[in-house]
Amino acid sequence: MRVHERRSDVPSGFKYLGKADENAILNLRIALVQSDPVELEAALHDVSDPRSKNYRKHLSKAQVEAFAIPEPASVKAVNAWLAKHNVTASTISPAGDWLSMQIPVAKANAMLSTQFCEYVHVKTNTSIIRTLSFSIPDTVKGHLAAIHPTTSFVEPRVSRAEIELLHLPRAGDGTQTSLKPSDRPKAQPTEVTAVDGSCKSEITPQCLQTIYNIPTAPATGRSNLSVATFAQEFATPSDLKAFLGQFRQDAANHASKVSIEALDGGANNSTFGTTEASLDVQYTTAVATNVPITIVTVGSDNHDGIAGFLDLVNNLLEQEQLPQVLTTSFGFTEKDIPAAIGSNLCNAYAQLGARGTTVLFASGDGGVSGIQATQDCTTFLPTFPSTCPFVTSVDSPISSPDRDNQDAAVSGYLKKLGKTNAGLFNSSGRAFPDIAAQAQGFQVVVNGQVQPVAGTSAASPTVASLVALLNDAIIKDGGAPVGFLNPFLYAQGASALNDITQGHNPGCGTDGFPATEGWDAVYSSIGVTEWVILIRMTTR
């Protein structure tokens, strides 16, 4: 037996209670080593880079699965080990790289040479069964990537990026914010319509249309968009109707374009709306006018140890027809996710991208302190999955693994930084955010009442709506969806962005990162008209 995963201590916020009941049943997921994740990444970049002859020639479901299917030797070795312990596992992913098994604690202790214990998350009084280390036999070493949840201590409730960008001054308090609507560069590729003064403190769909040159005419309906919500979030049809009636009367009839799917016991008929889901559905419907929108509500009936994120991505990969855009405004602190699990989840997003899906994640509201500004930290805290190298991170700071598309942009920024924040972040990792958008004062109807909402969870659905409109225009011209956005963004798309050069994102007892000319670890803004022109040019 060899140690496969180990952590040195119980993370802050959790308390040890004692050894777990030996008869308690554990729902464990096994990740097998995928056959060729390196070639999957290469294929993803090949179809996503506008300089490639295969740009936007996305792969089929079968082609993508071929990269993730475990080698026969791996399947044989893991099944033999399970059979030795009279354990039967079921396949839960289309490529067969994820298995699920239900076993009592006593058997898990014996199989993994460990001791599972019970811990409580003090803030929510939620108990979990975990271990600080476990081992696997030599016979499955190199065949088994991870067993989950074993050593991961993820907060029971997914943190939401919905409150307020605490690292920015509040609009209307006499200070300037880095994302105010008037903060645009002096020279723009296209004429910008004057922005109404009210947009400085209150954002509506009309404000976004003006700021980003978004056409008010309905899309042709050729593209689509999916919004993932977690933690029992739900948006009611009555609130959507009231929102459109007040802020987009010309699009009131497009509420019928919204459909709801439930996963893991998620809500699909609640009469009580929540802020996050209401924000997502109201602004995607109002901005991506006439684009079919699917709201996927992921409930608490999941056992993947990461709030249903694995369940959602595996459910999507099963489908023959994927959403062209997927936006998620939820996330975790990256250090709470075991490296092997994070890697496998990121590879799943790479599979979506290779098949033509643009995957967007809000990057958190805590500046360099991660998901929320109130977190204690001595070094900067990246968020996850917004740090995955195969997703587009919307509006936030800091760093984490893989940079492929970013070398030129990030190296220049690091030179400007010099010794600022040295030792507080991973300077050789995947830098983020990739893009930013308006994120304060969004007017949302929740249970019949209009209330302001701010945070990166406002920015991500805004960008998702713009990408959906881009896809609609491109498909109308006979083209294919943009898919994984970052290679285009860093190669050519940045020339259409508004460069915000003032502001910073404090946290962890520091001022965080400063905004500068060009890419920075704080903000870039967007302009949809210029993107349409650029993306169309790359296909001619």
Side-chain angles (χ1 to χ4, degrees):
M1 301 292 287
R2 297 182 183 273
V3 174
H4 192 68
E5 286 185 19
R6 172 184 285 150
R7 64 180 307 139
S8 59
D9 56 11
V10 178
S12 175
F14 288 88
K15 181 181 179 181
Y16 171 77
L17 295 180
K19 293 181 179 180
D21 181 351
E22 291 192 342
N23 296 313
I25 300 299
L26 297 177
N27 291 278
L28 298 179
R29 308 292 179 93
I30 298 175
L32 277 65
V33 173
Q34 297 177 343
S35 58
D36 209 340
V38 174
E39 283 302 312
L40 168 62
E41 181 176 352
L44 170 65
H45 285 284
D46 189 37
V47 299
S48 306
D49 191 334
R51 296 163 295 191
S52 168
K53 64 179 181 180
N54 293 318
Y55 181 44
R56 289 193 279 142
K57 296 179 181 178
H58 299 120
L59 306 185
S60 67
K61 181 175 182 289
Q63 287 174 318
V64 167
E65 287 175 5
F67 295 116
I69 293 173
E71 296 289 348
S74 296
V75 176
K76 182 179 179 180
V78 172
N79 282 337
W81 172 58
L82 296 176
K84 180 180 178 180
H85 293 275
N86 297 315
V87 172
T88 300
S90 56
T91 302
I92 57 172
S93 65
D97 54 326
W98 279 98
L99 307 176
S100 175
M101 62 180 182
Q102 291 76 42
I103 58 175
V105 166
K107 178 163 285 191
N109 287 340
M111 289 178 65
L112 303 175
S113 293
T114 189
Q115 175 63 64
F116 278 91
C117 298
E118 187 175 4
Y119 302 85
V120 64
H121 181 248
V122 178
K123 185 176 180 180
T124 60
N125 197 32
T126 303
S127 297
I128 61 173
I129 296 177
R130 296 291 188 271
T131 182
L132 297 184
S133 70
F134 70 91
S135 300
I136 59 175
D138 280 334
T139 56
V140 297
K141 201 73 175 176
H143 300 294
L144 186 155
I147 301 178
H148 183 72
T150 47
T151 63
S152 65
F153 287 75
V154 177
E155 290 196 9
R157 184 178 175 87
V158 179
S159 297
R160 295 179 303 192
E162 76 167 297
I163 310 300
E164 179 171 332
L165 281 172
L166 298 177
H167 58 286
L168 291 179
R170 298 184 180 185
D173 67 357
T175 61
Q176 291 186 337
T177 71
S178 295
L179 289 178
K180 66 182 186 294
S182 59
D183 193 359
R184 301 177 63 87
K186 294 180 180 179
Q188 283 292 311
T190 58
E191 186 72 21
V192 178
T193 306
V195 179
D196 189 278
S198 64
C199 297
K200 293 182 179 181
S201 58
E202 296 182 353
I203 290 292
T204 66
Q206 186 177 10
C207 290
L208 296 177
Q209 289 169 336
T210 305
I211 294 167
Y212 297 130
N213 297 332
I214 302 172
T216 58
T220 65
R222 290 176 168 88
S223 65
N224 60 66
L225 186 161
S226 283
V227 178
T229 67
F230 298 83
Q232 301 297 336
E233 288 279 346
F234 189 75
T236 66
S238 59
D239 280 345
L240 175 59
K241 181 179 179 180
F243 176 83
L244 294 175
Q246 182 166 348
F247 298 110
R248 278 275 342 238
Q249 293 182 2
D250 59 318
N253 62 327
H254 295 298
S256 62
K257 290 285 186 176
V258 178
S259 60
I260 300 170
E261 294 181 2
L263 183 67
D264 289 344
N268 61 6
N269 59 357
S270 176
T271 57
F272 180 80
T274 57
T275 304
E276 178 60 59
S278 299
L279 165 67
D280 290 345
V281 68
Q282 289 169 20
Y283 275 85
T284 51
T285 303
V287 177
T289 315
N290 203 43
V291 171
I293 296 169
T294 300
I295 310 297
V296 183
T297 66
V298 182
S300 58
D301 186 19
N302 60 76
H303 304 285
D304 64 1
I306 190 169
F309 273 57
L310 282 174
D311 289 350
L312 173 65
V313 74
N314 281 328
N315 177 268
L316 289 172
L317 289 173
E318 286 275 11
Q319 300 174 16
E320 290 292 340
Q321 298 296 324
L322 291 176
Q324 293 164 357
V325 183
L326 172 67
T327 177
T328 306
S329 295
F330 297 77
F332 311 89
T333 300
E334 186 187 71
K335 68 181 180 64
D336 293 339
I337 309 298
I341 297 302
S343 178
N344 273 269
L345 188 59
C346 288
N347 285 344
Y349 295 132
Q351 294 178 58
L352 292 177
R355 290 176 59 184
T357 300
T358 302
V359 182
L360 301 161
F361 273 96
S363 54
D365 293 347
V368 293
S369 65
I371 294 173
Q372 298 293 347
T374 56
Q375 293 188 119
D376 295 329
C377 48
T378 55
T379 59
F380 295 169
L381 298 177
T383 56
F384 182 86
S386 68
T387 50
C388 282
F390 314 125
V391 309
T392 299
S393 175
V394 184
D395 185 41
S396 195
I398 52 192
S399 289
S400 201
D402 185 47
R403 299 179 23 167
D404 191 65
N405 310 298
Q406 305 176 318
D407 288 340
V410 177
S411 61
Y413 183 66
L414 290 174
K415 285 183 180 180
K416 295 175 185 177
L417 276 182
K419 295 183 179 180
T420 301
N421 300 326
L424 297 179
F425 68 101
N426 176 11
S427 61
S428 62
R430 184 265 205 259
F432 74 108
D434 301 304
I435 197 169
Q438 291 289 321
Q440 293 193 89
F442 276 55
Q443 303 302 294
V444 179
V445 176
V446 184
N447 298 312
Q449 300 296 316
V450 177
Q451 64 181 53
V453 180
T456 56
S457 58
S460 190
T462 297
V463 176
S465 299
L466 298 180
V467 175
L469 292 175
L470 289 173
N471 283 337
D472 186 84
I474 294 166
I475 295 170
K476 182 182 178 182
D477 283 353
V482 296
F484 179 41
L485 195 59
N486 293 8
F488 163 77
L489 192 60
Y490 286 93
Q492 298 175 341
S495 63
L497 304 187
N498 305 325
D499 189 9
I500 298 176
T501 59
Q502 295 181 343
H504 52 89
N505 46 13
C508 302
T510 74
D511 288 334
F513 289 107
T516 66
E517 291 185 2
W519 184 90
D520 55 63
V522 193
Y523 314 112
S524 289
S525 197
I526 45 182
V528 66
T529 305
E530 294 82 1
W531 270 20
V532 172
I533 296 170
L534 280 169
I535 293 178
R536 283 174 172 166
M537 285 174 62
T538 63
T539 61
R540 292 176 180 169

